[in-house]
Amino acid sequence: MQQEWTRRALLKAAGVAAIGTGMQSIAPLYARAMDADEGSRRPKPEDRRFRSTAVEEFLKQTRTRIGDAELAIMFVNCFPNTLDTTVEPGQFDGKPDTAVITGDIPAMWLRDSSAQVWAYLPLAAKDEPLRALLEGVIRRQTRCILIDPYANAFMADLNAPALPWSLKDKTEMKPGVGERKWELDSLCYPIRLAYGYWKQTGDTRPFDAQWRQAMTLAVETMVVQQRKQGLGPYRFQRYSFISTETLPADGFGNPVKPVGLIASGFRPSDDACIFPFLVPSNLFAVTSLRQLAEMANSLLHDAALANRAHALAAEVESALQKYAITQTPEGTIWAYEVDGFGSQLLMDDANVPSLLGLPYLASSPDPALYERTRKFVWSERNPWFFRGTAGEGIGGPHEGKDMIWPMSQIIFAFTSKSDVEIRKALAMIKTSSAGSGFIHESFFKDDPKKFTRTWFAWANTLFGELIATLAASNPALLR
């Protein structure tokens, strides 16, 4: 294994257990004999967590459209990585129930699990076992939201103790919760997955009374976090030397002026917000709430829920226009975080939702404003943008200075209208893999062999989705 630079050492120094324990049953799969005939590094067929005939056929068909041999092997490794190594399909109350761990952390993030299976939705209609597995993800997420709408991560075994570094957190930890960092996008991603599942399969089985209850709770939680009636019940503090691991002001985060936006304690990176109105997550919430309203009307016949979701989306959208746009010498752009008092943070983080990734999430209402924002965040004007001999891209406080996240390069390609930009991004992504055939969390800007997280399924599947998209729309870019 290549050298890994990560905050694990810092967490350990702060008295927090190292990430990645408890996964010995899966990690050795990468050290076993792989599919030599395919040139891939997938686990052997008998070691895979789930096998989909539709996915296997899609891999074969798509690979023939990828002229670049290295990209082809990486695609074969990465696209099925979530199914190969992270899913735990089962049943609960006689219905599908699927846990999806992130990779080297034995817990299920609402965000990551939604993103990890997203690329399989177009294949689900012609593969019943795959459809049932995805139904199980939606049902498991429903159970998790009902346990605690403020939690970002849950244990795969809901009877297991919390993640080691969460055991001493000063917050209300409930059974089944792995970590309790309130992140607005954690409620948006399950809506996105449910909506995509419905549109791709036409199946309505997951959208029962329990799902209605979870979605009602999700909207109620967002309303509470507008903080019009006070700070709300959520607070979080952690004993750590890392400032982004805890919230100030007695665990409530920095003050906000209630202007209609939704406060988030933490970013999609799991790092604490500086100003709690996280703009990309609020933009994502507008999209998600409107998707939920459509489902509430069409599937649940619940006009009250639909109207509440519509009204909240409209209020957040209006507040974003008033408080989240800032003037720069190059024109107006989206700020990353604001507080409603006039303070604005100009930056972007690699984790999605990000400002860079707004069109990817169908959450960019103003194309011209987005293009100016995109140019800002993909430049040294963004304090978390780095350029080195091994590539360029966006990182964030989670792994620190000079650490580029390949996820940002993938999203850069997804949101580009330029063949030149996409080719450049693909070349950098290949470099960042350091010959491993997989996508890492982050890498040092001058040496891709210095990276974090060998096994990060979200990034792997996101890369697979990008290559599949290009293979269908512009295969010439993959030669």
Side-chain angles (χ1 to χ4, degrees), residues 25-268:
S25 61
I26 297 178
L29 297 182
Y30 288 116
R32 299 187 187 181
M34 302 301 174
D35 294 319
D37 57 327
E38 296 181 10
S40 80
R41 296 185 178 180
R42 296 178 66 188
K44 297 175 76 171
E46 61 269 25
D47 291 330
R48 296 170 191 168
R49 286 298 186 99
F50 182 85
R51 296 196 72 192
S52 162
T53 55
V55 169
E56 296 303 323
E57 184 60 30
F58 181 73
L59 288 175
K60 292 177 183 178
Q61 293 177 355
T62 304
R63 183 170 182 170
T64 64
R65 301 171 67 84
I66 306 172
D68 184 302
E70 186 175 358
L71 284 177
I73 292 173
M74 290 177 65
F75 170 74
V76 170
N77 290 340
C78 292
F79 186 84
N81 186 245
T82 288
L83 299 180
D84 284 352
T85 67
T86 70
V87 297
E88 299 182 9
Q91 285 198 335
F92 181 77
D93 285 345
K95 298 171 184 175
D97 176 65
T98 309
V100 186
I101 63 170
T102 70
D104 58 3
I105 306 176
M108 176 171 170
W109 265 250
L110 291 177
R111 169 186 54 256
D112 292 45
S113 61
S114 302
Q116 284 169 241
V117 301
W118 177 259
Y120 308 131
L121 290 178
L123 304 173
K126 53 187 176 182
D127 187 332
E128 175 57 23
L130 178 61
R131 186 214 59 76
L133 179 133
L134 296 172
E135 177 188 350
V137 177
I138 295 171
R139 291 188 181 277
R140 171 59 74 99
Q141 290 179 340
T142 297
R143 291 172 63 197
C144 290
I145 292 170
L146 289 174
I147 290 171
D148 187 353
Y150 286 106
N152 58 326
F154 298 80
M155 303 309 295
D157 176 358
L158 292 175
N159 295 312
L163 291 165
W165 56 89
S166 298
L167 294 174
K168 296 181 180 180
D169 290 345
K170 189 177 179 181
T171 190
E172 185 184 356
M173 290 292 289
K174 299 179 180 179
V177 171
E179 184 174 62
R180 194 174 190 249
K181 290 181 172 179
W182 159 237
E183 299 163 6
L184 173 56
D185 69 287
S186 291
L187 294 182
C188 297
Y189 266 106
I191 297 172
R192 179 182 188 245
L193 177 62
Y195 186 82
Y197 174 90
W198 172 47
K199 291 296 185 180
Q200 290 286 352
T201 68
D203 181 42
T204 62
R205 278 171 282 191
F207 310 121
D208 54 15
Q210 191 176 45
W211 187 79
R212 181 205 303 257
Q213 184 182 358
M215 292 301 100
T216 301
L217 180 58
V219 174
E220 290 173 353
T221 303
M222 293 184 196
V223 170
V224 168
Q225 287 304 316
Q226 289 182 294
R227 299 193 175 178
K228 294 179 180 180
Q229 307 299 324
L231 295 174
Y234 175 79
R235 60 197 298 183
F236 179 96
Q237 289 176 295
R238 172 174 291 173
Y239 297 100
S240 175
F241 294 125
I242 306 171
S243 62
T244 54
E245 285 296 307
T246 191
L247 293 180
D250 201 26
F252 290 104
N254 286 317
V256 294
K257 181 180 179 181
V259 294
L261 296 172
I262 303 168
S264 186
F266 292 84
R267 301 167 180 170

Side-chain angles (χ1 to χ4, degrees), residues 341-353:
F341 290 106
S343 299
Q344 297 177 319
L345 178 62
L346 304 189
M347 59 163 279
D348 200 18
D349 189 284
N351 284 262
V352 183

Side-chain angles (χ1 to χ4, degrees), residues 395-406:
H398 198 71
E399 293 299 345
K401 188 177 185 299
D402 294 333
M403 299 298 287
I404 297 169
W405 288 54

